[in-house]
Amino acid sequence: MKRMSWGILILAVACGKGGGGGEKFGAPQDQTQAGIIASCTSKVQAASVAEKFGGSYRILNEKKGLIEFYDIPNDTLQAELPKAKLKANQVYENLIENGFSASAALGNFPYVGGVTPQYRDSTMTSYFPYLTQIDAYNLPAGVRGAGVTIAVVDSGVHYNHPHLSPNIRTNSRDGHGSSANGRDEDGNGYSDDYAGWDFYNHDAYPVDDNGHGTHVAGLAAGTLSGVAQQAKILPVKVLGSRGNGDLGTITAGILYAIENGADVVNLSLGGSGASEMGSALDELVGHIRLANDRNIVIVAAAGNGGSDGVGDCNDDQPIWPASIESPNLMAVGSVDGSNQLTRYSNFGGRSVHVAAPGGDNVGLLSTVPGNCTTSCNSTHAAYGRMSGTSMATPVVSGLVALVKGVNRGLAAAEVIELIMENGTSVPEFDGLIRSRQVVNAGKALEAAR
Ligand SMILES: [Ca+2]
Ligand SMILES: [Ca+2]
Ligand SMILES: [Ca+2]
């Protein structure tokens, strides 16, 4: 199996003459050629600089003045925009251990929804052993994460999957598809964002052209495979079809999630590059602190061990965003079906908070993109297996949603403490996982009530 490499530090200083100039409305096709991000820059400044040097730019967040420039050398930009804080752009990737690609040729299509949820029953336990492993298969009635929204900041979500569509969070004040009118009725800065937003291609259709985000969404809140079967999923696309994206796009997507109703933000992605961390992550750290002020829990993948595929210690070699220290952020490592850390999983007695099932040689089974594009029914229910800390992370996000669902009064840090203190103890985790535990829904929920 092709293994996805990750953590590649790419300082995207594009040189030479740029073609055309002007504003771009999508991320570059080759995301390894991502641009340089300047913050505190106005649209007018961006247009003027792009015009003067023949480069181009893309507005990542107009409110924050976050602009990504292409084809303009770093020193030129710095001379031209002395007040702008330049941020070297990094390429981040999703954290699948085993290669996977969905054979999906998907354009932009509207959210359809309306399929009756088909919930798992007692005949399906063998398909979803990770649910039994964390005691989340048979939960008391009413404990399904209803009323809680999990933002899946990822490669998009196949929101018309019949086992996801009932749980997609929709924005009734704005419409897309046949209701699209190009206007931003709810004034959140995004026109026609009915079912989340695509920050990679700059449109209102966060369709998953990779497969990763759909799998993640199904583990968190699929009606069959999900830990929280009635939590809502807010799709936010920040990674492209190859499963990678740049930090600026990811950061803008996280802010959208925070400002548009997320209670939990799932980040099954990451990158390394400590030397760049000082300035490149300022914006992201700021957003995570903002999320803390709003009681939003951030759940981030610990990482898959770098190029050799053997887990590394995040205490020594930080992984971003998992290693950001904030009371509302928990980093997740991956265990196999026997509660042993998987070979690929990163660890850290200080910086990796909990472990959860993430699949080993056999991946977890969850939703993947199928061919349901204009209407949905139960025959279009595609499932696939993936492994990685990317998969362990939404298992925990689902658990956070369950806990919040039974006790809305808990602060973000309290939710994390509660989950860390009410799991299944694994003595071998001493020094490897901060809580020394694999998460456990039954115990956490008992403590949460
Ligand atoms: Ca809107
Ligand atoms: Ca509209
Ligand atoms: Ca799109």
Side-chain angles (χ1 to χ4, degrees), residues 198-380:
D198 179 347
F199 283 86
Y200 195 89
N201 300 302
H202 206 77
D203 63 50
Y205 307 91
V207 171
D208 185 6
D209 50 10
N210 173 270
H212 185 263
T214 301
H215 199 270
V216 165
L219 291 169
T223 62
L224 248 58
S225 53
V227 173
Q229 294 171 277
Q230 289 177 353
K232 291 291 186 195
I233 298 156
L234 176 63
V236 183
K237 181 171 170 65
V238 297
L239 305 175
S241 59
R242 295 191 307 178
N244 62 13
D246 63 81
L247 186 54
T249 307
I250 292 166
T251 300
I254 290 170
L255 184 63
Y256 176 87
I258 292 168
E259 294 188 330
N260 290 278
D263 300 295
V264 188
V265 178
N266 188 93
L267 299 173
S268 289
L269 47 83
S272 57
S275 62
E276 292 306 310
M277 169 255 170
S279 63
L281 290 182
D282 282 357
E283 202 80 39
L284 178 54
V285 170
H287 293 349
I288 288 177
R289 299 274 152 76
L290 174 68
N292 188 49
D293 295 343
R294 298 185 183 183
N295 246 341
I296 299 168
V297 177
I298 311 285
V299 188
N304 291 357
S307 54
D308 63 0
V310 181
D312 300 319
C313 181
N314 287 4
D315 292 354
D316 303 330
Q317 303 168 55
I319 292 298
W320 315 104
S323 294
I324 293 172
E325 285 185 44
S326 189
N328 62 325
L329 184 145
M330 67 198 308
V332 182
S334 170
V335 291
D336 62 16
S338 312
N339 283 350
Q340 297 302 301
L341 270 187
T342 56
R343 184 173 185 269
Y344 62 78
S345 180
N346 287 0
F347 50 86
R350 187 172 52 75
S351 56
V352 179
H353 300 78
V354 292
D360 199 357
N361 296 325
V362 178
L364 307 189
L365 189 67
S366 181
T367 49
V368 293
N371 58 357
C372 169
T373 54
T374 55
S375 65
C376 297
N377 61 54
S378 58
T379 63
H380 293 300

